[in-house]
Amino acid sequence: MAEVYAARRDRLRERAAAGGSAAVLVSRPANVRYLAGAAPHGAVLLLGKGPGAEGDVLLCGRPPGDQPADGRPDEALRIQVLDAPGGDPAVAAADVALSFGADSLAVEEHHLTVARHRALGSVAPRLRLTDLGAGVEQLRLVKDEEEISCLRIAAEIADQALGELLESILVGRTERHLALELERRLVDHGADGPAFPTSVGTGPNSGRGSHRPTDRRVEEGDFLSVCLGAAYRGYRCEIGRTFVIGTSPADWQIDLYDLVFAAQRAGRESLAPGAECREVDRAARHVLDSAGYAEGLAQVTGHGVGLEIDEEPQLAPAAMGKLDACVPVTVEPGVHLPGRGGVRIDDTLVVRPEADGGPELLTITTKELLAL
Amino acid sequence: MAEVYAARRDRLRERAAAGGSAAVLVSRPANVRYLAGAAPHGAVLLLGKGPGAEGDVLLCGRPPGDQPADGRPDEALRIQVLDAPGGDPAVAAADVALSFGADSLAVEEHHLTVARHRALGSVAPRLRLTDLGAGVEQLRLVKDEEEISCLRIAAEIADQALGELLESILVGRTERHLALELERRLVDHGADGPAFPTSVGTGPNSGRGSHRPTDRRVEEGDFLSVCLGAAYRGYRCEIGRTFVIGTSPADWQIDLYDLVFAAQRAGRESLAPGAECREVDRAARHVLDSAGYAEGLAQVTGHGVGLEIDEEPQLAPAAMGKLDACVPVTVEPGVHLPGRGGVRIDDTLVVRPEADGGPELLTITTKELLAL
């Protein structure tokens, strides 16, 4: 893996050099992890001029082994632990950049606070601070096969946890307990932990995006919506399903389910390298719009996943840009009828060209309307 | 509660006015919650000129009811939901401040990123942006009795969850399972959720600060360290205990336990209104130092708690400032011997004057060395 991280750093270094900056300071934790293999709390990564790991330093407030961290830092990286407790590794990095002979430093202005940026400027007034922008996020967009295989395992774990829940008795249990049970099962099956807080909504709470579980108990006749995901080696996936509790769903439940299913399928089927993000959103949204549910739809129908659960690209009406091959995204339209509940269906897929069989579905739990 | 939030906003308004700013923009989530009763995702709070809620606006990216949120926004507050999806409420707030006739706006430079700050400046170039600094954090330092009663309930919940765990069989179970079990019990007893990721360390992992649970199983003869906390109505407490597994602890275990216990007691007993934070740290640290454990001690022996689990004040060698009455803090010294394990004892207490009986212990689980 060391070569992978070094190669990523080299790509970033090239971009920054093209932008006129000799040294680069990465502070956003997911970006640090992407480039260094781990992001100890508060650590920042300084990239020097030379290629390879030489000159690159991971600056930490505390020794990386002394604290919880996903992953281990790339062994090829120099690690520098601050002497002074409570110091800011980003400020210390400015000093190191000066010692490299750098005259400019590209920083992540979308992550550094005004106060930290000012502190950097005042310890190293000779250093010209420029903006790296979303340089690392852009590198992170297209995943390599190693990353996709972590996502595939994360999705398998989520499928397993969900599958086991479906075999248990649900009526009478609270949303909160079902959510905790799912999170326990994720860990049982090898997840680092949940990829995000598990959402369980029943009855009037079903179908709402990122509903926080309450003490409402599952009742006969309810819709039950579940959205969960596993984190595996830092990579996060997402699956959402809606079920009916009891033997036979009501007609309105079947109709609403079929509609959301059709919308979600339309979104999935429009995933392809070169497809406009807003067209994917439109494909799913149009199905719900035409059925009269334009009001109250979520602002996005999907989003990228990776080291963070909500990454670029956004699948939304005003989204710019096109999809590439090897970009994992969710497709997750839903309809919620206030007071009655609703349906939400959510998969994680990897965009693949037609020649490779089209989009790769990572979350394979059935999307039939199950009556539990 | 509405009057409480309005009174907090008035105090902040007075401070900002004394600093020369007509309007105030609060963006840090815990600060928004403190002043508005809730912090919907991404929401910011704009304080206008007038007293009371008049002119104050909570700006949200989405309707507050559409998303998970702890608490409900103060009903006296005007709520403004952005029309454009993906917009930044902080940028919209700058426009609203101009419509108030404000010529300057105090912002949280320790929270706003450079990029957001610049966007604010460019939509409202006539608005002079000043720094609010840690104005809200300073107000949050001393808690009112309502806040302390939330902390007291949070501590009770943590004590109950821990107490139940102690009655179960521990040998053979993994750190990860014990941590999940504790978190489930926290929710069972009415917590919003865990106050922070529960830490369970056994054998060589025991006694490490914020150890992330692994798949190591509890064995006979192990030290077992547990650190957990409940969040209740947004308020977060912390308790840490160390136990021995098996019938009779080894001599080194008894000695180490007694030492850490003495250090923790020294810290607790030095809590008083007017005490220097660094003196409290020194009281606990000195006991461990003199026994030869100066190397490898944590940088802090305690910290404030409240809406965040790690707030001001810090109890550390270089900490400035004194304690006040009604400031809740943790006292949590520990010793970890690499390869062998260690002991950590952690309580949440409220600083109270001698006349009121001295420090109020919120986490009351016994600190005897239990053999489980």
Side-chain angles (χ1 to χ4, degrees), chain A residues 340-356:
Chain A
R340 298 178 79 188
V343 176
R344 196 173 188 83
I345 304 174
D346 184 352
D347 278 311
T348 302
L349 306 98
V350 180
V351 177
R352 303 276 192 191
E354 194 60 41
D356 293 352

Side-chain angles (χ1 to χ4, degrees), chain A residues 29-80:
Chain A
N31 291 347
V32 172
R33 173 154 191 174
Y34 181 73
L35 298 166
H41 182 74
V44 301
L45 177 67
L46 178 69
L47 301 193
K49 272 188 272 193
E54 206 185 344
D56 295 350
V57 190
L58 184 67
L59 293 107
C60 309
R62 293 191 287 160
D66 272 15
Q67 49 187 314
D70 297 315
R72 286 174 185 281
D74 175 5
E75 287 175 8
L77 266 180
R78 183 153 70 90
I79 293 179
Q80 184 173 326

Side-chain angles (χ1 to χ4, degrees), chain B residues 81-94:
Chain B
V81 178
L82 265 56
D83 293 328
D88 181 348
V91 172

Side-chain angles (χ1 to χ4, degrees), chain A residues 110-150:
Chain A
H110 61 300
H111 179 260
L112 274 191
T113 65
V114 177
R116 292 179 84 189
H117 191 267
R118 183 180 305 122
L120 236 75
S122 62
V123 294
R126 285 185 296 127
L127 207 55
R128 191 167 48 87
L129 298 179
T130 62
D131 186 13
L132 180 62
V136 188
E137 285 84 351
Q138 281 158 21
L139 294 180
R140 285 169 48 198
L141 207 56
V142 173
K143 271 70 178 175
D144 64 30
E145 286 303 319
E146 184 79 26
E147 295 181 279
I148 292 173
S149 89
C150 289

